[in-house]
Structure formats: C-alpha cells, structure tokens
Amino acid sequence: MPTHKIDPNQWITLYSDYLFNYTISRINDRDMAKDIVSETFLAGLKSMRNFKGEASERTWLISILKRKIIDYYRKTNSKKGKAEVRISYNSDTENEGDWLEERVADPFDKTAEDTIENKELALAIKQCLSKLPKKQATVFEMKTILDYETETICNELNITASNLWVIIHRARTAMASCLEKNWF
C-alpha cells in the first residue's frame, strides 16, 4: 500500500468540475464528457494501489482522464470507419505510420524527463503548426486536434470534402516533416 493516502470520497467535490471542464473543452458533448469523467473516477478507484504520490491526486486523475479522452477518439474513429490520423515520424518502413501519441510518455509512469519531453513535444507541434499556411493549419487543427466532423469543417470553411482531404494530407505531410526535423 502506498504511503501517500488518497481519498476517493472527496474526488467528486474536489475535482469533478475541473475534470468536466477539461473534458468538455476537448469533447464538446456534455453527456459524453460526464461519462468520461465518471469512467475516470472508476479507473482511479480500480488503480488506487498504483498511486505513488509522486504527483498530486488531481494530476494523477487528469492523466487517467487524458487516456480516457484518447480512447474515446480512437473508438469514435473506428466506429465511423474513418482512417485514423497517423503521422509517420520514422524513415524506415517497418514502423511507418505509427501513432504520434505512442511516442509520448505513458502518463501513468511519469518522471521528470517524461514531463519535459511532453512539454517539448507540445511546443514542437505548436511551432510546426505555426509554419503551415493558414488554411492548412486551420484544417489540421480542426480535424486532427479538435476532431471536428468533415461536414462541419467543409461548411465552416466553405470547401468540398475532396478539397479538405487534399489540404489535410498536405498538412499532415508537412507536420510530420517539421516534427522529424525539430523534435525527433
């Protein structure tokens, strides 16, 4: 049993609003956001014995929440039969197309080095995004980061679906190249 004591009886009072606001800003679906926060608390209960006390209780719950959000998007993308967003960061064909987030440190096994690496990756992504032409950056952010539906993006930017896929392909290629040069 860890020496740091956590109190799940206080989680809803202390963290539910913060976790919900964090989730709703990424999911944009109130009911789903509530479900994901509930799943986060449940996962926290199930893995309480793994809590080492190296981070605050809230930080630990946020790391669980982030994984739940990623799982939600993976599940959503596979249900719709859409191609998953993949970025190739290796020049070898064996690992080509691996998920970018698989290169990010596991949030359940955080070290100071992992935290620095995640911050550096976020900064590199922002810098690479700023180097894209405005329309490519907007489309990439809407589709890949904010997970907007194709129809929504097309309506908002007044472009066709085929134009969207050309733009997103070019943006992904440019992002992968930029990240390979500036981060990996």
Side-chain angles (χ1 to χ4, degrees), residues 58-125:
R58 183 175 107 164
T59 301
W60 178 68
L61 287 169
I62 290 169
S63 69
I64 295 171
L65 176 66
K66 287 178 180 179
R67 277 285 166 207
K68 294 293 179 189
I69 292 170
I70 289 168
D71 290 345
Y72 163 77
Y73 281 120
R74 284 184 179 160
K75 186 176 179 183
T76 300
N77 283 334
S78 66
K79 273 186 178 177
K80 293 178 183 173
K82 293 182 178 178
E84 294 177 341
V85 176
R86 297 168 87 79
I87 297 177
S88 174
Y89 52 78
N90 289 327
S91 56
D92 65 333
T93 55
E94 183 179 319
N95 294 320
E96 192 171 341
D98 286 347
W99 275 86
L100 176 63
E101 65 201 27
E102 288 176 359
R103 294 284 293 230
V104 178
D106 180 359
F108 296 106
D109 189 23
K110 287 267 187 218
T111 64
E113 185 178 314
D114 294 336
T115 302
I116 291 169
E117 186 174 304
N118 285 340
K119 287 179 183 175
E120 288 173 351
L121 175 59
L123 182 61
I125 289 171

Side-chain angles (χ1 to χ4, degrees), residues 15-41 58 61-73 145-148:
Y15 310 120
S16 62
D17 287 341
Y18 181 83
L19 295 177
F20 176 78
N21 289 331
Y22 183 93
T23 306
I24 196 70
S25 70
R26 284 151 181 84
I27 301 291
N28 203 22
D29 177 338
R30 294 186 69 76
D31 292 332
M32 185 53 63
K34 289 176 186 177
D35 289 346
I36 290 173
V37 171
S38 295
E39 289 174 18
T40 299
F41 287 142
R58 183 175 107 164
L61 287 169
I62 290 169
S63 69
I64 295 171
L65 176 66
K66 287 178 180 179
R67 277 285 166 207
K68 294 293 179 189
I69 292 170
I70 289 168
D71 290 345
Y72 163 77
Y73 281 120
I145 298 171
L146 300 173
D147 196 40
Y148 282 17

Side-chain angles (χ1 to χ4, degrees), residues 113-164:
E113 185 178 314
D114 294 336
T115 302
I116 291 169
E117 186 174 304
N118 285 340
K119 287 179 183 175
E120 288 173 351
L121 175 59
L123 182 61
I125 289 171
K126 285 180 185 178
Q127 287 173 343
C128 289
L129 197 57
S130 72
K131 293 178 183 179
L132 291 177
K134 184 165 179 57
K135 194 168 203 172
Q136 281 185 13
T138 301
V139 169
F140 181 86
E141 186 173 12
M142 290 174 82
K143 186 69 180 163
T144 307
I145 298 171
L146 300 173
D147 196 40
Y148 282 17
E149 296 289 332
T150 299
E151 186 177 346
T152 303
I153 298 169
C154 290
N155 290 339
E156 209 166 297
L157 300 178
N158 197 26
I159 59 176
T160 65
S162 59
N163 191 5
L164 171 100

